[in-house]
Amino acid sequence: MMNSTAGEDGGFPPNPFRSDSSQPQQQQQQAPDFYSTQTGAQAPAFAQPPMQQQQQQPVAQQQQYAPAAPMVYATPAPAQYTNPPSVPQGTMDNANTGIANAPQSRWAACVSCFRMETYLAYFDVDTADIQDRLKGSVMYFYKPDKFRSEVIGACRTETLKGPDLYGPLWVTMTFVFFLAVSSNLSAYIRADNMTEFEYDISHMVHAWTVCFGFSFGVPAFWWLVTQCMGMQALMMVDWICLYGYSMVPYLPATILCLVPWHPWIWICLTIATAMSGLLVVRNVAAPLLGADSQNNKAGPVLLGILASHVIFLLVLKIAFYE
């Protein structure tokens, strides 16, 4: 039994570990036919003869070292967030938000008052603009709202540059010089003994205080009063601009006051005060009345403006030309 041939199993099942020489030949012959007929693709390396495996080995190495194509990742869509539900008014969150924002806005407004950039726009005028405004303050002082709307401009446009601070500043400084010099010259002309006359330098300090207080302090006061009354019709720069150019009639009046005659001085100062007061009242009446059409608060303000001009007249006469 042990010496039986390869094909004889002696009644036992076939041995799986027995090698059959005819089987590899059949596999080599059938492998190309199977891949070519069934799939149409090239047979794998293990099913090909050794020569074909050697020819395809460099190709496989080339494919192995070929650079890999860059991978493209899809960009995720941005997440969409929904607004949180609004908090009803009157809650602590809204109250805290209002309290936090109010000091910040007020602080920003206060800080802007000390920056030069805030005032640059109010000095952007040339000589022609100043000449037109000086002439308009004398020619249109009695016409309602003409000087503010047609000469200065309620807002900045292509033809009108709006209220400025350059003109009021230099008009007030010129008025200070004219008032101090003319008051000393008037006292010199009225003096009986020329040798006893002394130039009063304190007139310059007094003139500086009175003129700048009236040109900048009084309009700031009236702006604050109108704001408290709910008449937000004019800005502070509008008030200062009108009061500054209302000093123009006083410039020729101080020169005419050199005549050493008290009635003449009263007449000159009274005419200048009337022109100045009308210029301010005529140009602020319409905005104030428009902002206060029901409460009747604009009337007392206009009367207060005229009263302040009368007080200014008395201060000029008594302090400088008495």
Side-chain angles (χ1 to χ4, degrees), residues 1 57 65 70 80 110 158 161-162 173 182-183 186 206 218 231 233 238 245 305 310 315:
M1 291 178 61
Q57 185 174 4
Y65 294 100
Q80 296 181 356
C110 294
E158 296 180 357
K161 295 185 178 181
M173 294 182 67
S182 63
S183 60
S186 179
H206 296 161
V218 173
M231 295 182 291
D238 295 322
Y245 284 107
I305 293 173
V310 173
V315 171

PDB file of all heavy atoms in Angstrom, residues 1 57 65 70 80 110 158 161-162 173 182-183 186 206 218 231 233 238 245 305 310 315:
ATOM      1  N   MET A   1       0.808  -1.186   0.000  1.00  0.00           N
ATOM      2  CA  MET A   1       0.000   0.000   0.000  1.00  0.00           C
ATOM      3  C   MET A   1       0.842   1.236   0.000  1.00  0.00           C
ATOM      4  O   MET A   1       0.501   2.247  -0.565  1.00  0.00           O
ATOM      5  CB  MET A   1      -0.910   0.042   1.242  1.00  0.00           C
ATOM      6  CG  MET A   1      -2.007  -1.025   1.223  1.00  0.00           C
ATOM      7  SD  MET A   1      -3.005  -0.966   2.713  1.00  0.00           S
ATOM      8  CE  MET A   1      -3.649   0.640   2.581  1.00  0.00           C
ATOM      9  N   GLN A  57       7.794  44.853 -13.544  1.00  0.00           N
ATOM     10  CA  GLN A  57       8.314  45.323 -12.258  1.00  0.00           C
ATOM     11  C   GLN A  57       8.749  46.775 -12.279  1.00  0.00           C
ATOM     12  O   GLN A  57       8.439  47.531 -11.381  1.00  0.00           O
ATOM     13  CB  GLN A  57       9.474  44.410 -11.821  1.00  0.00           C
ATOM     14  CG  GLN A  57      10.004  44.734 -10.421  1.00  0.00           C
ATOM     15  CD  GLN A  57      11.038  43.742  -9.975  1.00  0.00           C
ATOM     16  OE1 GLN A  57      11.415  42.841 -10.750  1.00  0.00           O
ATOM     17  NE2 GLN A  57      11.498  43.874  -8.745  1.00  0.00           N
ATOM     18  N   TYR A  65       6.501  55.276  -6.933  1.00  0.00           N
ATOM     19  CA  TYR A  65       7.117  56.561  -6.607  1.00  0.00           C
ATOM     20  C   TYR A  65       6.416  57.731  -7.274  1.00  0.00           C
ATOM     21  O   TYR A  65       6.891  58.857  -7.228  1.00  0.00           O
ATOM     22  CB  TYR A  65       8.596  56.533  -7.023  1.00  0.00           C
ATOM     23  CG  TYR A  65       9.420  55.565  -6.237  1.00  0.00           C
ATOM     24  CD1 TYR A  65       9.742  54.315  -6.761  1.00  0.00           C
ATOM     25  CD2 TYR A  65       9.859  55.885  -4.956  1.00  0.00           C
ATOM     26  CE1 TYR A  65      10.492  53.414  -6.034  1.00  0.00           C
ATOM     27  CE2 TYR A  65      10.614  54.983  -4.225  1.00  0.00           C
ATOM     28  CZ  TYR A  65      10.922  53.752  -4.769  1.00  0.00           C
ATOM     29  OH  TYR A  65      11.671  52.880  -4.038  1.00  0.00           O
ATOM     30  N   PRO A  70      -3.022  65.751  -4.946  1.00  0.00           N
ATOM     31  CA  PRO A  70      -3.452  66.489  -3.729  1.00  0.00           C
ATOM     32  C   PRO A  70      -4.903  66.195  -3.402  1.00  0.00           C
ATOM     33  O   PRO A  70      -5.764  66.103  -4.277  1.00  0.00           O
ATOM     34  CB  PRO A  70      -3.249  67.958  -4.124  1.00  0.00           C
ATOM     35  CG  PRO A  70      -3.305  67.963  -5.599  1.00  0.00           C
ATOM     36  CD  PRO A  70      -2.731  66.653  -6.045  1.00  0.00           C
ATOM     37  N   GLN A  80     -24.683  79.079  10.983  1.00  0.00           N
ATOM     38  CA  GLN A  80     -25.664  80.152  11.089  1.00  0.00           C
ATOM     39  C   GLN A  80     -26.166  80.223  12.511  1.00  0.00           C
ATOM     40  O   GLN A  80     -26.599  79.207  13.074  1.00  0.00           O
ATOM     41  CB  GLN A  80     -26.833  79.905  10.137  1.00  0.00           C
ATOM     42  CG  GLN A  80     -26.427  79.921   8.661  1.00  0.00           C
ATOM     43  CD  GLN A  80     -27.596  79.696   7.766  1.00  0.00           C
ATOM     44  OE1 GLN A  80     -28.711  79.461   8.235  1.00  0.00           O
ATOM     45  NE2 GLN A  80     -27.357  79.752   6.470  1.00  0.00           N
ATOM     46  N   CYS A 110     -17.400 114.849  25.856  1.00  0.00           N
ATOM     47  CA  CYS A 110     -16.537 115.756  26.622  1.00  0.00           C
ATOM     48  C   CYS A 110     -15.105 115.733  26.099  1.00  0.00           C
ATOM     49  O   CYS A 110     -14.449 116.776  26.023  1.00  0.00           O
ATOM     50  CB  CYS A 110     -16.580 115.374  28.106  1.00  0.00           C
ATOM     51  SG  CYS A 110     -18.179 115.619  28.901  1.00  0.00           S
ATOM     52  N   GLU A 158     -22.167 123.931  -0.907  1.00  0.00           N
ATOM     53  CA  GLU A 158     -21.129 124.286  -1.873  1.00  0.00           C
ATOM     54  C   GLU A 158     -20.871 125.787  -1.903  1.00  0.00           C
ATOM     55  O   GLU A 158     -19.751 126.229  -2.168  1.00  0.00           O
ATOM     56  CB  GLU A 158     -21.523 123.785  -3.263  1.00  0.00           C
ATOM     57  CG  GLU A 158     -21.605 122.265  -3.366  1.00  0.00           C
ATOM     58  CD  GLU A 158     -21.997 121.816  -4.753  1.00  0.00           C
ATOM     59  OE1 GLU A 158     -22.252 122.706  -5.599  1.00  0.00           O
ATOM     60  OE2 GLU A 158     -22.044 120.590  -4.995  1.00  0.00           O
ATOM     61  N   LYS A 161     -20.583 128.145   3.759  1.00  0.00           N
ATOM     62  CA  LYS A 161     -19.731 127.297   4.587  1.00  0.00           C
ATOM     63  C   LYS A 161     -20.251 127.103   5.999  1.00  0.00           C
ATOM     64  O   LYS A 161     -19.596 126.461   6.812  1.00  0.00           O
ATOM     65  CB  LYS A 161     -18.317 127.868   4.635  1.00  0.00           C
ATOM     66  CG  LYS A 161     -17.625 127.859   3.281  1.00  0.00           C
ATOM     67  CD  LYS A 161     -16.197 128.324   3.376  1.00  0.00           C
ATOM     68  CE  LYS A 161     -15.498 128.258   2.025  1.00  0.00           C
ATOM     69  NZ  LYS A 161     -14.087 128.700   2.093  1.00  0.00           N
ATOM     70  N   GLY A 162     -21.426 127.665   6.299  1.00  0.00           N
ATOM     71  CA  GLY A 162     -22.003 127.448   7.618  1.00  0.00           C
ATOM     72  C   GLY A 162     -21.367 128.330   8.676  1.00  0.00           C
ATOM     73  O   GLY A 162     -20.504 129.178   8.395  1.00  0.00           O
ATOM     74  N   MET A 173     -11.531 140.163  19.345  1.00  0.00           N
ATOM     75  CA  MET A 173     -10.206 140.668  19.701  1.00  0.00           C
ATOM     76  C   MET A 173     -10.003 142.098  19.190  1.00  0.00           C
ATOM     77  O   MET A 173      -9.397 142.937  19.885  1.00  0.00           O
ATOM     78  CB  MET A 173      -9.136 139.745  19.136  1.00  0.00           C
ATOM     79  CG  MET A 173      -9.125 138.354  19.754  1.00  0.00           C
ATOM     80  SD  MET A 173      -7.805 137.291  19.125  1.00  0.00           S
ATOM     81  CE  MET A 173      -6.379 138.139  19.763  1.00  0.00           C
ATOM     82  N   SER A 182      -9.748 153.429  22.575  1.00  0.00           N
ATOM     83  CA  SER A 182     -10.661 154.572  22.457  1.00  0.00           C
ATOM     84  C   SER A 182     -11.079 155.102  23.825  1.00  0.00           C
ATOM     85  O   SER A 182     -11.269 156.317  23.988  1.00  0.00           O
ATOM     86  CB  SER A 182     -11.902 154.169  21.661  1.00  0.00           C
ATOM     87  OG  SER A 182     -12.628 153.151  22.332  1.00  0.00           O
ATOM     88  N   SER A 183     -11.226 154.230  24.807  1.00  0.00           N
ATOM     89  CA  SER A 183     -11.601 154.711  26.140  1.00  0.00           C
ATOM     90  C   SER A 183     -10.469 155.541  26.759  1.00  0.00           C
ATOM     91  O   SER A 183     -10.725 156.588  27.387  1.00  0.00           O
ATOM     92  CB  SER A 183     -11.940 153.526  27.053  1.00  0.00           C
ATOM     93  OG  SER A 183     -10.823 152.659  27.181  1.00  0.00           O
ATOM     94  N   SER A 186     -10.342 158.874  24.784  1.00  0.00           N
ATOM     95  CA  SER A 186     -11.462 159.738  25.165  1.00  0.00           C
ATOM     96  C   SER A 186     -11.202 160.404  26.515  1.00  0.00           C
ATOM     97  O   SER A 186     -11.488 161.603  26.699  1.00  0.00           O
ATOM     98  CB  SER A 186     -12.747 158.916  25.222  1.00  0.00           C
ATOM     99  OG  SER A 186     -13.840 159.725  25.619  1.00  0.00           O
ATOM    100  N   HIS A 206     -10.015 144.771  31.455  1.00  0.00           N
ATOM    101  CA  HIS A 206     -11.470 144.852  31.599  1.00  0.00           C
ATOM    102  C   HIS A 206     -12.166 144.628  30.257  1.00  0.00           C
ATOM    103  O   HIS A 206     -13.207 143.954  30.180  1.00  0.00           O
ATOM    104  CB  HIS A 206     -11.857 146.208  32.187  1.00  0.00           C
ATOM    105  CG  HIS A 206     -11.332 146.419  33.563  1.00  0.00           C
ATOM    106  ND1 HIS A 206     -11.209 147.691  34.149  1.00  0.00           N
ATOM    107  CD2 HIS A 206     -10.877 145.541  34.496  1.00  0.00           C
ATOM    108  CE1 HIS A 206     -10.720 147.571  35.357  1.00  0.00           C
ATOM    109  NE2 HIS A 206     -10.510 146.280  35.600  1.00  0.00           N
ATOM    110  N   VAL A 218     -22.150 134.560  27.071  1.00  0.00           N
ATOM    111  CA  VAL A 218     -23.603 134.775  26.987  1.00  0.00           C
ATOM    112  C   VAL A 218     -24.265 133.818  25.982  1.00  0.00           C
ATOM    113  O   VAL A 218     -25.294 133.215  26.296  1.00  0.00           O
ATOM    114  CB  VAL A 218     -23.903 136.248  26.661  1.00  0.00           C
ATOM    115  CG1 VAL A 218     -25.391 136.459  26.408  1.00  0.00           C
ATOM    116  CG2 VAL A 218     -23.436 137.135  27.807  1.00  0.00           C
ATOM    117  N   MET A 231     -35.855 123.296  23.496  1.00  0.00           N
ATOM    118  CA  MET A 231     -35.819 123.968  22.184  1.00  0.00           C
ATOM    119  C   MET A 231     -34.431 123.741  21.569  1.00  0.00           C
ATOM    120  O   MET A 231     -33.573 124.612  21.601  1.00  0.00           O
ATOM    121  CB  MET A 231     -36.116 125.463  22.331  1.00  0.00           C
ATOM    122  CG  MET A 231     -37.511 125.761  22.827  1.00  0.00           C
ATOM    123  SD  MET A 231     -37.871 127.532  22.959  1.00  0.00           S
ATOM    124  CE  MET A 231     -36.818 127.991  24.330  1.00  0.00           C
ATOM    125  N   ALA A 233     -33.095 123.941  18.738  1.00  0.00           N
ATOM    126  CA  ALA A 233     -33.168 124.460  17.372  1.00  0.00           C
ATOM    127  C   ALA A 233     -31.816 124.907  16.849  1.00  0.00           C
ATOM    128  O   ALA A 233     -31.558 124.842  15.645  1.00  0.00           O
ATOM    129  CB  ALA A 233     -34.158 125.631  17.316  1.00  0.00           C
ATOM    130  N   ASP A 238     -23.784 128.058  16.475  1.00  0.00           N
ATOM    131  CA  ASP A 238     -24.669 129.042  15.852  1.00  0.00           C
ATOM    132  C   ASP A 238     -24.842 130.270  16.745  1.00  0.00           C
ATOM    133  O   ASP A 238     -24.810 131.412  16.262  1.00  0.00           O
ATOM    134  CB  ASP A 238     -26.033 128.408  15.556  1.00  0.00           C
ATOM    135  CG  ASP A 238     -25.945 127.309  14.521  1.00  0.00           C
ATOM    136  OD1 ASP A 238     -25.161 127.460  13.572  1.00  0.00           O
ATOM    137  OD2 ASP A 238     -26.666 126.299  14.650  1.00  0.00           O
ATOM    138  N   TYR A 245     -20.480 138.044  15.357  1.00  0.00           N
ATOM    139  CA  TYR A 245     -20.664 139.031  14.294  1.00  0.00           C
ATOM    140  C   TYR A 245     -21.569 140.186  14.719  1.00  0.00           C
ATOM    141  O   TYR A 245     -21.582 141.223  14.053  1.00  0.00           O
ATOM    142  CB  TYR A 245     -21.246 138.356  13.049  1.00  0.00           C
ATOM    143  CG  TYR A 245     -20.220 137.559  12.282  1.00  0.00           C
ATOM    144  CD1 TYR A 245     -20.227 136.168  12.309  1.00  0.00           C
ATOM    145  CD2 TYR A 245     -19.228 138.194  11.543  1.00  0.00           C
ATOM    146  CE1 TYR A 245     -19.279 135.434  11.612  1.00  0.00           C
ATOM    147  CE2 TYR A 245     -18.278 137.466  10.842  1.00  0.00           C
ATOM    148  CZ  TYR A 245     -18.308 136.087  10.885  1.00  0.00           C
ATOM    149  OH  TYR A 245     -17.353 135.378  10.198  1.00  0.00           O
ATOM    150  N   ILE A 305     -32.619 138.093  25.702  1.00  0.00           N
ATOM    151  CA  ILE A 305     -31.511 138.472  24.817  1.00  0.00           C
ATOM    152  C   ILE A 305     -31.421 139.988  24.690  1.00  0.00           C
ATOM    153  O   ILE A 305     -30.329 140.573  24.760  1.00  0.00           O
ATOM    154  CB  ILE A 305     -31.694 137.810  23.446  1.00  0.00           C
ATOM    155  CG1 ILE A 305     -31.535 136.289  23.569  1.00  0.00           C
ATOM    156  CG2 ILE A 305     -30.683 138.354  22.444  1.00  0.00           C
ATOM    157  CD1 ILE A 305     -31.860 135.533  22.304  1.00  0.00           C
ATOM    158  N   VAL A 310     -28.920 145.376  26.641  1.00  0.00           N
ATOM    159  CA  VAL A 310     -29.053 146.640  27.374  1.00  0.00           C
ATOM    160  C   VAL A 310     -28.043 146.686  28.523  1.00  0.00           C
ATOM    161  O   VAL A 310     -27.403 147.728  28.779  1.00  0.00           O
ATOM    162  CB  VAL A 310     -30.497 146.812  27.887  1.00  0.00           C
ATOM    163  CG1 VAL A 310     -30.605 148.037  28.792  1.00  0.00           C
ATOM    164  CG2 VAL A 310     -31.470 146.940  26.713  1.00  0.00           C
ATOM    165  N   VAL A 315     -22.713 148.603  30.792  1.00  0.00           N
ATOM    166  CA  VAL A 315     -21.356 148.263  31.231  1.00  0.00           C
ATOM    167  C   VAL A 315     -20.325 149.010  30.396  1.00  0.00           C
ATOM    168  O   VAL A 315     -19.325 149.540  30.936  1.00  0.00           O
ATOM    169  CB  VAL A 315     -21.145 146.736  31.143  1.00  0.00           C
ATOM    170  CG1 VAL A 315     -19.676 146.393  31.380  1.00  0.00           C
ATOM    171  CG2 VAL A 315     -22.012 146.025  32.161  1.00  0.00           C
TER     172      VAL A 315
END
